[in-house]
Amino acid sequence: PKAVFAAAEGRERFETRVTVLENGLRVASQKKFGQFCTVGLLINSGSRHEAKYLSGISHFLEKLAFSSTAQFGSKDEILLTLEKHGGICDCQASRDTIMYAVSADAKGLDTVVNLLADVALQPRLSDEEIEMTRTAIRFELEDLNMRPDPEPLLTEMIHAAAYRDNTVGLNRFCPVENTDKIDREVLHSYLRNYYTPDRMVLAGVGIEHEQLVECAKKHLLGVEPVWGSAQTKDVDRSVAQYTGGIVKVEKDMSDVSLGPTPIPELTHIMIGLESCSFLEDDFIPFAVLNMMMGGGGSFSAGGPGKGMFTRLYLNVLNRHHWMYNATSYHHSYEDTGLLCIHASADPKQVREMVEIITREFILMAGAVGEVELERAKTQLKSMLMMNLESRPVIFEDVGRQVLATNTRKLPHELCALISQVKSTDIKRVVTKMLHKKPAVAALGDLTDLPTYEHIQAALSSKDGRLPRMYRLFR
């Protein structure tokens, strides 16, 4: 076929267009050159909304996505329909959003939007599908506890410690004891409250806006969901309450990985402090701070010529050979955020490891070198632009921003905000953060783990050291 090239004068316009339909559903689109498009429904519903329900409903909905619906008899039928347009589908549930997405040839847009509407609003949720989902979830939970990489478990634990029994602190995975309790009736009562048009965004990348709006009007306006259109009455509008605290899981990690070269037995610690929501101005300085801390595994801990200059490489992994991991993470939500450092070491070194990590938190409030700040800002901008080369990432960015704010900050606007961050901004946000109680998650052999009070005292000291009495008489 005759090739179609992007013309220089026809450069894609960067604006993200948003239209609100009569029923409150928002339609957002972003142009992108190419014959393929990514279209999906994002719904403001996740594990944080399960306070009045059984924990684990979002996990079930994620696994049940793209199963049989009113129009399609089975998952295979859906996949065959998508195959005609070279399409693939996926569903992901997080703490605050569930996302149904399809990437396919732009010519099949009408079919794709029809399919998305059917999957979200008309799922059959047959007994057989629910039973298969229970089995899949039990297997996933078993696998989660056996993995050598404890990252997903620790993330759950640090959220549970930071926001005890509320909003984002609720478990993202379905607890084993709830797998048999969740049935069609429970799912329908949840869907009735949270799968409403005003909580949805239909986002598309690589298609004409008018065309997407037409498809949305055709397939998503005036549709009666399978659970009926009764008034919603139990919508949880709670604001996250940061509590701080500790969650410990004593676990024998000696047999996590067997084989010719087994991973050594490690104890994992995650220490976090409340940062801010992604709607606040301080979100950008926190993102730069997270990039400045950086870190990773000791397998590639800096070393001459590797160019790894983030603080956790320079100050931690390069100086303490016995540490296996030191990584910074920043989780941000509509009403709160959490900046944490994950570290792993031999169980005998736990006390020193905690002291080193608390010291890094204290040092964040100290002097910030101009070179390291510029490097972190450049790295953040580079990562942002590199990720936004991918159509599914642009789709998620458009959808999430419109869902939260009804508009979208464009990449060049974000880069301008990153460039404006000064060392005084970093110092200011860290000082504010250090006044909060810490959240601690610990997994493995915890014999030598300092008490929560000692960790809290270390974070409020000038040098991040654990109290001397503890060190002498432990």
Side-chain angles (χ1 to χ4, degrees), residues 338-378:
L338 191 64
L339 183 87
C340 37
I341 295 177
H342 166 210
S344 326
D346 186 276
K348 295 184 188 70
Q349 314 277 151
V350 169
R351 190 185 62 73
E352 292 95 320
M353 172 166 71
V354 169
E355 201 167 275
I356 287 160
I357 297 306
T358 51
R359 192 179 306 141
E360 283 309 309
F361 271 111
I362 302 292
L363 287 172
M364 286 179 194
V368 177
E370 201 53 47
V371 174
E372 71 168 340
L373 182 64
E374 283 308 313
R375 185 184 284 119
K377 280 156 53 171
T378 307

Side-chain angles (χ1 to χ4, degrees), residues 239-256:
V239 175
Q241 303 297 317
Y242 180 83
T243 58
I246 185 165
V247 171
K248 300 189 283 188
V249 176
E250 283 272 0
K251 191 176 171 193
D252 180 12
M253 309 283 276
S254 55
D255 58 351
V256 166

Side-chain angles (χ1 to χ4, degrees), residues 8 196 219 305 350 393 425 450:
T196 54
H219 300 294
V350 169
V393 175
D425 296 323

Side-chain angles (χ1 to χ4, degrees), residues 137-138 141-142 174-180:
I137 285 175
R138 284 189 200 111
L141 293 173
E142 211 173 297
C174 179
V176 180
E177 62 273 14
N178 284 359
T179 49
D180 287 326

